[in-house]
């Protein structure tokens, strides 16, 4: 994708996340647009780009979040790396697979965030955090990830660059 | 394939990330270089936030006033366009009237209370679900400083945790990291109101002997420096009293609907604004009020 368009998306992402998204929040939980952007970047463009976008959006989120600086960087950069690795294992993702992977990624990065938060800020009960923050957010991200896949990604001529290197079933010649 | 994926380069990246984050998480580093670095970014993005908040009203008006009318018959288009324009204008006027009403309420509230306060507009919320914060359009240039209390005529909102020159961040009372000294109006028992995971609040450290009832009003006690005594925080919900516990606690239902906040008051000083007693025109002959 054009670098300028990407920059614009990243710059607009935080204002949208902090203003309009409040309207679609349920029980004070809103979807994480940044995580979706990072997932699709990492999955389709590789872990290095996923990591970079994750790092940048994480840093931007940290400037606007009430938490300690570095928490979102850790979560989002890890999400970028992981989505890149997932992209190497799964080729030609379907909507259902996308939903499943976004759910998994959201839960993993949420758990990492929980441990960082525990380390820096203080005690939170994991089950409370899981029940009221991690799981609802992951489910919300998963549904939105599926919608983004069906509405946008499926229609774009996006292909994983390494997909040509791999043949299924593996070539035994 | 696995060997290709797990190569040394990624481990170095991961290691550097963890190292960087660990360094950044040191409390001393949180304050200086990070805030210096963050100011231009916050300035740029908060400008976009203000723009998006402003255009949201415009888009809402456009939707209600124009797009809803697209489906009607073609021969009435001109007439309906006029109607749409008038409806849009009407909505804008209604919006302005409501904003005026809210601001008037804030100003009246400010006049009737002794402390100094500053009106600020809410321009954004926390991007993550881990924290409950608001971004307001007033910063250090307007006299806002860290730890100042933020309220509305309906009740306590939270306190300022970050203050940039043009914008500030407010930690809501429903955030799990928030703590406000409070008392129960009816029984005068004191406790500490903290946020919960569910986005509500609870009052802790209440005496086991306290006779608490659902619906009791919870007020600020004034023991923490940022709020005057007697501001409404919320009402008591379910009370939890266990035999072996040293204290009892109760849910607090906040009086403020945080999802609909548009303007707030920042308490810039708790000092009495009223002129000294004896001076002509003095409305109060009492000493300083609302001190902690």
């Amino acid at each position: 994708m054009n670098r300028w368009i990407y920059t614009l998306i990243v710059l607009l992402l935080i204002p949208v996340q902090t203003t309009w998204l409040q309207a679609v929040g349920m029980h004070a939980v809103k979807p994480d647009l940044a995580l979706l952007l990072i997932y699709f970047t990492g999955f389709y463009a590789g872990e290095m780009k996923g990591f970079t976008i994750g790092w940048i959006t994480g840093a931007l989120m940290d400037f606007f979040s009430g938490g300690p600086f570095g928490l979102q960087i850790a979560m989002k950069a890890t999400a970028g790396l992981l989505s890149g690795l997932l992209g190497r294992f799964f080729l030609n993702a379907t909507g259902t697979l996308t939903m499943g992977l976004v759910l998994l990624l959201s839960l993993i990065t949420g758990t990492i965030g929980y441990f960082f938060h525990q380390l820096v800020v203080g005690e939170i009960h994991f089950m409370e955090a899981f029940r009221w923050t991690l799981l609802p957010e992951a489910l919300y991200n998963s549904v939105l990830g599926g919608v983004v896949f069906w509405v946008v990604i499926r229609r774009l001529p996006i292909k994983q660059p390494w997909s040509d290197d791999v043949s299924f079933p593996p070539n035994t010649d | 394939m696995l060997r290709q994926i797990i190569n040394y380069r990624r481990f170095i990246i991961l290691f550097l990330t963890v190292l960087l984050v660990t360094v950044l998480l040191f409390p001393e580093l949180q304050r200086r270089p990070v805030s210096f670095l963050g100011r231009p970014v916050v300035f740029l993005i908060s400008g976009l936030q203000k723009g998006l908040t402003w255009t949201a009203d415009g888009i809402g008006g456009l939707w209600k006033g124009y797009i809803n009318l697209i489906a009607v018959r073609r021969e009435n288009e001109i007439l309906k366009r006029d109607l749409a324009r008038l409806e849009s204008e009407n909505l804008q006027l209604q919006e302005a009237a409501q904003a005026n009403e809210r601001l008037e309420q804030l100003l009246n509230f400010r006049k009737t209370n002794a402390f100094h306060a500053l009106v600020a507009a809410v321009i954004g919320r926390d991007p993550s679900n881990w924290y409950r914060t608001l971004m307001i359009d007033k910063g250090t240039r307007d006299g806002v400083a860290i730890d100042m209390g933020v309220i509305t005529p309906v009740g306590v909102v939270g306190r300022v945790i970050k203050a940039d020159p043009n914008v500030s961040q407010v930690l809501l009372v429903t955030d799990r990291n928030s703590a406000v000294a409070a008392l129960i109006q009816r029984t005068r028992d004191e406790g500490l109101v903290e946020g919960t995971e569910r986005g509500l609040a609870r009052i802790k450290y209440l005496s086991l002997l306290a006779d608490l009832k659902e619906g009791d009003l919870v007020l600020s006690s004034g023991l923490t420096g940022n709020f005057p005594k007697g501001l409404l925080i919320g009402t008591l919900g379910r009370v939890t009293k266990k035999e072996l516990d040293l204290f009892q606690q109760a849910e607090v239902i906040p009086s403020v609907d945080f999802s609909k906040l548009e303007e707030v008051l920042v308490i810039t000083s708790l000092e009495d604004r009223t002129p000294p007693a004896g001076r002509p025109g003095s409305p109060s002959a009492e000493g300083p009020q609302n001190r902690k």
Side-chain angles (χ1 to χ4, degrees), chain B residues 233-278:
Chain B
I233 297 174
T235 50
L236 277 193
R238 194 164 52 91
V239 180
T240 314
K241 194 173 186 177
K242 290 178 188 163
E243 272 186 26
L244 294 173
D245 283 356
L246 290 172
F247 302 100
Q248 56 179 322
Q249 57 175 294
E251 282 177 358
V252 176
I253 300 149
S255 56
V256 177
D257 184 352
F258 298 104
S259 63
K260 290 177 183 156
L261 271 181
E262 288 178 69
E263 290 94 15
V264 292
L265 282 172
V266 183
I267 303 172
T268 50
S269 168
L270 291 178
E271 281 176 21
D272 198 345
R273 284 190 304 129
T274 52

Side-chain angles (χ1 to χ4, degrees), chain B residues 80-277:
Chain B
K80 298 220 166 175
R81 248 179 235 164
D82 283 348
L83 184 66
R85 186 176 52 81
L86 289 171
E87 275 188 356
S88 176
E89 280 176 14
N90 192 25
L91 274 170
Q92 282 174 11
L93 286 171
Q94 278 178 15
E95 192 60 31
Q98 281 178 7
N100 271 343
E101 203 176 307
R102 288 196 309 269
L103 288 170
E104 202 178 324
Q105 268 182 355
L106 282 175
L107 287 171
N108 284 339
F109 180 74
R110 200 168 67 157
K111 275 179 199 162
T112 53
N113 284 282
F115 47 80
H116 294 260
L118 183 76
V119 180
V122 176
I123 57 165
R125 287 157 206 275
D126 203 287
S128 76
N129 289 311
W130 287 90
Y131 299 93
R132 312 224 184 271
T133 63
L134 294 176
M135 192 72 94
I136 56 171
D137 70 341
K138 294 284 188 293
T140 48
R141 278 187 195 152
D142 308 287
V144 178
I146 288 173
D147 273 340
M148 283 180 173
V150 179
I151 57 170
T152 70
V154 182
V156 172
V157 173
R159 68 184 170 86
V160 176
I161 53 164
K162 278 183 196 167
D164 283 309
N166 298 311
V167 291
S168 302
Q169 201 164 24
V170 179
L171 187 77
L172 301 181
V173 282
T174 50
D175 187 283
R176 64 174 93 85
N177 300 302
S178 162
V180 178
L183 59 83
I184 311 295
Q185 190 191 42
R186 188 176 55 84
T187 63
R188 314 310 289 173
D189 287 292
E190 293 190 354
L192 202 64
V193 173
E194 290 180 350
T196 65
E197 289 298 328
R198 299 173 60 183
L200 295 172
R202 66 174 159 242
I203 183 163
K204 292 169 80 176
Y205 310 118
L206 289 163
S207 162
L208 278 177
L209 300 171
D211 169 34
L212 305 173
K213 284 178 186 159
E214 276 192 39
D216 278 349
L217 294 181
V218 183
L219 311 175
S220 60
S221 70
L223 286 175
T224 40
N226 29 27
F227 296 106
K229 189 175 180 176
L231 291 176
L232 183 64
I233 297 174
T235 50
L236 277 193
R238 194 164 52 91
V239 180
T240 314
K241 194 173 186 177
K242 290 178 188 163
E243 272 186 26
L244 294 173
D245 283 356
L246 290 172
F247 302 100
Q248 56 179 322
Q249 57 175 294
E251 282 177 358
V252 176
I253 300 149
S255 56
V256 177
D257 184 352
F258 298 104
S259 63
K260 290 177 183 156
L261 271 181
E262 288 178 69
E263 290 94 15
V264 292
L265 282 172
V266 183
I267 303 172
T268 50
S269 168
L270 291 178
E271 281 176 21
D272 198 345
R273 284 190 304 129
T274 52

Side-chain angles (χ1 to χ4, degrees), chain A residues 40 44 93-95 146-158:
Chain A
F40 286 117
Y44 289 100
T94 60
V147 171
V148 171
F149 179 85
W150 276 304
V151 176
V152 184
I153 305 293
R154 205 178 52 158
R155 290 161 202 268
L156 294 175
I158 299 174

